[in-house]
Amino acid sequence: MTFDSAAFRQSMSQLPTGVAVVALAEEDAIHAMTVGSFTSLSLDPPLVLACIGGRARMAPLFAVGQMFSANVLRSDQAALSTYFARAGMAETPPPHRFLPWEGSPRLEGSAVSLACRVDQVVPGGDHLIVIGRVQAIHLGLTPRDPLIFFDRRYHRVGAGTGDQAPEIEAQEEGPRAFYEMW
Ligand SMILES: Cc1cc2nc3c(=O)[nH]c(=O)nc-3n(C[C@H](O)[C@H](O)[C@H](O)COP(=O)(O)O)c2cc1C
């Protein structure tokens, strides 16, 4: 291996991600943590995944069948991202509220929330790949300006609408890629 873990971390910091707070209720307590690894996995059935550090306090709570919510943060929720990334530290929480919803606590004000049931937990190195089957969707009010995590800092989507991306589901011939052999 010609690189160390700091170089690997730095290289992956160049991939911008959205930020989500995953949350679940256990007895009377709500547990929540910030993840940048939340992404979609399958359209049919509707599956999503998040990679949870094996040593995170929430890791043992993701058992098959457990309900959890994934709450995609807006750009004005950066303080919540930081707060739920340091849930162990005594700190005044930024104002927020979890609402009971579809068997999981929903973080009010998120851009979108997905209620999921843990379908599989797959080991992935020092993380667990938690695969959730989506049970319900709550779309927040517009504008849904997302929080972006890039190069270890928070960002927001810049001005302008951007170029039109291909309609992936409309491609009947399958994707065409052009690349050089290496
Ligand atoms: C923007 C951002 C993205 C993060 N993404 C992940 C992630 O995908 N998986 C993960 O395990 N931890 C991620 N973390 C770190 C966890 O939020 C943090 O380690 C966890 O909440 C601490 O839990 P603990 O106190 O139980 O150790 C991220 C933190 C931030 C600020």
Side-chain angles (χ1 to χ4, degrees), residues 17-19 32-38 50-58 81-82 84-88 127 149 154:
T17 69
V19 182
M33 74 179 262
T34 303
V35 294
S37 56
F38 178 68
C51 303
I52 305 293
R55 287 197 302 214
R57 276 167 305 160
M58 282 186 73
S81 167
T82 297
F84 288 117
R86 308 188 195 130
H127 278 55
F149 188 56
Y154 296 120

Side-chain angles (χ1 to χ4, degrees), residues 75-96:
S75 60
D76 61 3
Q77 291 177 308
L80 286 177
S81 167
T82 297
Y83 177 70
F84 288 117
R86 308 188 195 130
M89 293 169 81
E91 177 181 345
T92 310
H96 69 282

Side-chain angles (χ1 to χ4, degrees), residues 80-181:
L80 286 177
S81 167
T82 297
Y83 177 70
F84 288 117
R86 308 188 195 130
M89 293 169 81
E91 177 181 345
T92 310
H96 69 282
R97 192 157 65 136
F98 285 100
L99 304 173
W101 173 66
E102 302 283 348
S104 63
R106 175 166 74 76
L107 181 61
E108 193 179 39
S110 304
V112 62
S113 299
L114 299 124
C116 310
R117 185 180 299 283
V118 176
D119 189 74
Q120 288 177 65
V121 181
V122 182
D126 56 8
H127 278 55
L128 299 173
I129 306 166
V130 175
I131 299 176
R133 189 175 182 127
V134 180
Q135 311 286 313
I137 296 170
H138 181 277
L139 205 51
L141 299 174
T142 54
R144 289 186 288 269
D145 182 28
L147 180 62
I148 306 293
F149 188 56
F150 167 64
D151 211 7
R152 297 173 200 171
R153 303 186 73 83
Y154 296 120
H155 298 263
R156 51 194 301 176
V157 175
T161 52
D163 292 338
Q164 178 72 48
E167 292 291 340
I168 297 169
E169 57 272 37
Q171 289 180 358
E172 281 170 14
E173 297 165 31
R176 277 164 291 175
F178 300 94
Y179 59 93
E180 288 186 25
M181 296 298 283

